[in-house]
Every structure is written in C-alpha cells, then in structure tokens.
C-alpha cells in the first residue's frame, strides 16, 4: 500500500463502521476520538456517513467525546481510555446503561452484531468480537 491507498482504505473502513452502527435504532451514539485536534475530522466523517444513508439521518445522531489524555493513543493506554469513555457515556446515560465500544476501522462489523452486543450488555454480560489483527472489533 502507498500512504494514500492506506489512507483511502482506512477512510472506507471507517465509513463502513459508521454506516453499520447508524443502522441500529433506538440507541444513543457517541464517538470517542483522539487526538483532541481530530474533532473536526471525526464530525466530517460522521456527517458524510449520515448524508449517505437512505433515508438520510439527522446529524445530531452522534455525540463526539474526546478521549482522556487524547493526545496519544497506544495499546497500553487503551484500558484507561475505554474506562474513561465508559464513565463519560454513563455520566450522560446513567449507571448501568449498556455500552458497546466499536473500533472505527471494522469493515466486517454488521449492525445486527452491534444490536446483539447491547442486548447482552443490558443483561450484565460481556460481548467481545475479536479482530483479525488480534485486537477487538467490538467490546460491550
């Protein structure tokens, strides 16, 4: 891959993830992003995905939240960042609200899996979908 083709593929994967998550109804959607300077780019990506939906959805479907210490993201800090993200969302939604973390470059993720993960989380159980790169596509 050239740098441009890798960037194009990453954008395509991110658009797919946003589109699949948008298909899940009756949930509040949040984007945890890093670094803090990426807010404009993330808002643009989400708006672009929503404009492409049939029918188009309102742009207020998503709330953007910066990650704690969002100026750097390494796997060793992921637990801290996800814990902070969970606390941010639950401060808005209330304790015990089911939450699913979805990787932004998850081209294999289907909306039904997001919905199923939230149902499992509402029962107080965990739901994990591993990624091919040994990471995670979805954690609820």
């Amino acid at each position: 891959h050239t740098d441009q083709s890798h960037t194009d593929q990453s954008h395509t994967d991110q658009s797919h993830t946003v589109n699949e998550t948008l298909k899940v109804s009756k949930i509040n959607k949040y984007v945890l992003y890093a670094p803090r300077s990426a807010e404009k780019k993330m808002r643009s990506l989400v708006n672009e995905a929503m404009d492409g939906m049939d029918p188009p959805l309102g742009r207020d479907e998503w709330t953007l939240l910066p990650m704690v210490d969002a100026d750097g993201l390494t796997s060793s800090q992921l637990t801290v960042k996800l814990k902070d993200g969970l606390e941010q969302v639950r401060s808005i939604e209330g304790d015990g609200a089911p939450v699913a973390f979805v990787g932004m470059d998850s081209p294999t993720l289907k909306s039904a899996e997001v919905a199923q993960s939230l149902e499992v989380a509402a029962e107080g159980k965990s739901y994990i979908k591993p990624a091919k790169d040994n990471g995670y596509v979805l954690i609820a």
Side-chain angles (χ1 to χ4, degrees):
H1 288 289
T2 65
D3 286 341
Q4 183 61 43
S5 68
H6 178 72
T7 300
D8 291 346
Q9 182 60 47
S10 179
H11 182 78
T12 299
D13 292 349
Q14 290 171 348
S15 293
H16 169 83
T17 302
V18 170
N19 282 323
E20 285 299 307
T21 306
L22 280 168
K23 292 177 185 176
V24 181
S25 63
K26 299 182 182 178
I27 65 169
N28 295 324
K29 299 163 184 81
Y30 298 87
V31 173
L32 299 172
Y33 64 91
R36 289 183 186 278
S37 61
E39 180 177 8
K40 185 175 180 181
K41 179 180 179 180
M42 292 307 301
R43 177 58 62 196
S44 175
L45 177 68
V46 169
N47 288 345
E48 178 183 310
M50 285 188 281
D51 290 346
M53 294 297 290
D54 185 24
L57 298 173
R59 292 180 172 211
D60 59 352
E61 291 279 321
W62 292 82
T63 301
L64 274 63
L65 301 171
M67 289 185 177
V68 64
D69 299 321
D71 294 327
L73 179 61
T74 64
S75 59
S76 64
Q77 299 169 327
L78 185 58
T79 301
V80 171
K81 293 177 186 293
L82 291 179
K83 181 177 183 263
D84 178 71
L86 179 63
E87 291 170 354
Q88 287 187 67
V89 171
R90 287 211 170 137
S91 73
I92 297 166
E93 297 293 326
D95 288 339
V99 175
F101 291 101
V102 178
M104 280 304 295
D105 57 347
S106 305
T108 62
L109 184 66
K110 302 292 182 213
S111 59
E113 291 175 286
V114 177
Q116 180 182 7
S117 74
L118 290 167
E119 290 172 14
V120 169
E123 296 171 2
K125 300 176 186 174
S126 298
Y127 185 101
I128 299 173
K129 178 181 172 91
K132 292 181 181 179
D133 67 358
N134 296 321
Y136 300 98
V137 171
L138 183 145
I139 301 172

